Amino acid sequence: MKKYYLTQSVLTVLLGLMMSPVFGQGLKFRATLSGAQVVPVPTNTDATATIEVKFDEGFTEAQVKIDSTAIELVLGCGVVGEPGVMVLTRLMDGEVTELTLTNSDLVGGSICDASIGRMVTNVVSLAFAMREGLIFAEVGGGAEPTIRGQLLEDTGKGKDKGKGKGKGKGKGKGKGKGKGGGS
């Protein structure tokens, strides 16, 4: 009997993982970068950028899209308001840039342990560190000032897709009891 419950429990956990937003659907993260988020000293600039990071279903790679004219992208381990350590750096062409990140792109992941309490050594660990708000993006270089933003999960909730529920008027007839009857 115990073996049956153990097997059932394992299957329930596996089914729960498969139905979760993490398994089989990939994850997407976004950040709006600004000078106010740069640490230790905020940058006095009106410059902003948006970054989107989307992981594939198998967590073997991540697609990065950033709208910045900066020439360098850094992903770092660190919480909001504190300096962090670089886990990835990429040169960009100064236009809207799309990049593909794989395990071989990540460097220095073991040093993240000191700043966020875990190592980030592959695409999977990067995704889960992002999910907990432990990864920031920073761009700068060339004529552009440095700007930074914390990558947060984009769940798709809160977006207006133009499909609202209106209040309609029913046309059914009721069956009343008592004085006045039904209509």
Side-chain angles (χ1 to χ4, degrees), residues 7 16 21-23 32 34 40 43 51-52 58 67 73 80-81 93 99 102 110 121 147 172:
T7 304
V22 175
F23 190 88
T32 300
S34 71
T43 306
I51 185 171
E52 178 182 289
D67 65 341
L73 165 67
V80 174
D93 64 5
L99 310 165
T102 63
S110 59
T121 56
I147 54 177

Side-chain angles (χ1 to χ4, degrees), residues 159-167:
K159 291 185 178 180
D160 183 10
K161 297 183 181 177
K163 295 180 182 177
K165 290 185 178 180
K167 291 185 178 180

Side-chain angles (χ1 to χ4, degrees), residues 88-111:
L88 172 132
T89 184
R90 266 296 175 88
L91 294 177
M92 303 187 307
D93 64 5
E95 296 179 14
V96 173
T97 304
E98 293 186 30
L99 310 165
T100 300
L101 305 179
T102 63
N103 290 335
S104 62
D105 294 310
L106 300 174
V107 296
S110 59
I111 59 176

Side-chain angles (χ1 to χ4, degrees), residues 11-33:
L11 288 174
T12 302
V13 168
L14 289 175
L15 183 60
L17 283 173
M18 289 174 23
M19 300 302 285
S20 77
V22 175
F23 190 88
Q25 297 178 6
L27 289 173
K28 189 191 310 185
F29 299 86
R30 290 181 186 266
T32 300
L33 288 61

Side-chain angles (χ1 to χ4, degrees), residues 1-65:
M1 190 58 104
K2 286 184 180 180
K3 194 173 191 175
Y4 169 76
Y5 287 117
L6 180 62
T7 304
Q8 185 179 16
S9 297
V10 169
L11 288 174
T12 302
V13 168
L14 289 175
L15 183 60
L17 283 173
M18 289 174 23
M19 300 302 285
S20 77
V22 175
F23 190 88
Q25 297 178 6
L27 289 173
K28 189 191 310 185
F29 299 86
R30 290 181 186 266
T32 300
L33 288 61
S34 71
Q37 297 183 60
V38 174
V39 289
V41 180
T43 306
N44 186 16
T45 180
D46 291 332
T48 61
T50 303
I51 185 171
E52 178 182 289
V53 181
K54 185 174 181 183
F55 292 87
D56 70 333
E57 293 177 4
F59 295 101
T60 58
E61 64 181 31
Q63 298 296 319
V64 178
K65 189 176 192 179

